[in-house]
Amino acid sequence: QVQLTESGGGLVQAGASLRLSCTASRRLSTNNGMGWFRQTPGKEREIVAHISWNGGSTYYADSVKGRFTISRNRASGTLFLQMDNLKPEDTAVYYCASARRAYGSTNRGDYNYWGPGTQVTVSS
């Protein structure tokens, strides 16, 4: 079984920063697009950002654009999400995922491997 594991979540005040990390197998981290999603109770899982196989192309949801930065280290098999100027509405469980192809997507169905998630809570 392919294991993806997120880390770096926590409880912070509005305006603070966090950096999430996700480890993946070398095969997936080298050849596949990857993405970050988030989900709150009663809501569907939504795209946050995604990145292409070589990091050359990125996408951000409008709600996080200008505040979050997605990046990857293919050699170490690690995906990152730098989150700055956090807001209470960013509170959610954050998931990393590996895409079926070389480029990421906003569609959950285009990802075939998922991590268990990490909790991010932002207080007012």
Side-chain angles (χ1 to χ4, degrees):
Q1 181 180 357
V2 176
Q3 295 293 119
L4 283 73
T5 305
E6 304 93 342
S7 62
L11 173 62
V12 298
Q13 292 183 306
S17 296
L18 284 172
R19 187 174 77 160
L20 305 183
S21 299
C22 173
T23 59
S25 71
R26 184 173 298 278
R27 176 177 64 85
L28 294 177
S29 63
T30 298
N31 299 321
N32 297 73
M34 299 187 74
W36 287 99
F37 290 76
R38 66 187 182 186
Q39 187 170 24
T40 57
K43 304 291 185 180
E44 293 186 353
R45 193 170 299 185
E46 64 179 16
I47 184 68
V48 175
H50 63 72
I51 188 168
S52 62
W53 70 281
N54 62 353
S57 180
T58 59
Y59 165 89
Y60 298 93
D62 289 341
S63 59
V64 306
K65 195 170 186 178
R67 299 188 297 118
F68 291 9
T69 303
I70 188 170
S71 62
R72 67 190 302 167
N73 185 319
R74 293 165 65 227
S76 66
T78 309
L79 177 72
F80 302 98
L81 184 68
Q82 177 67 42
M83 305 184 293
D84 295 324
N85 191 24
L86 283 161
K87 303 176 179 180
E89 50 263 46
D90 295 318
T91 296
V93 176
Y94 284 71
Y95 301 88
C96 67
S98 178
R100 300 178 187 275
R101 297 180 177 180
Y103 290 84
S105 170
T106 60
N107 185 351
R108 297 187 303 276
D110 290 328
Y111 298 82
N112 56 350
Y113 295 104
W114 295 82
T118 185
Q119 178 71 48
V120 172
T121 303
V122 184
S123 62
S124 300

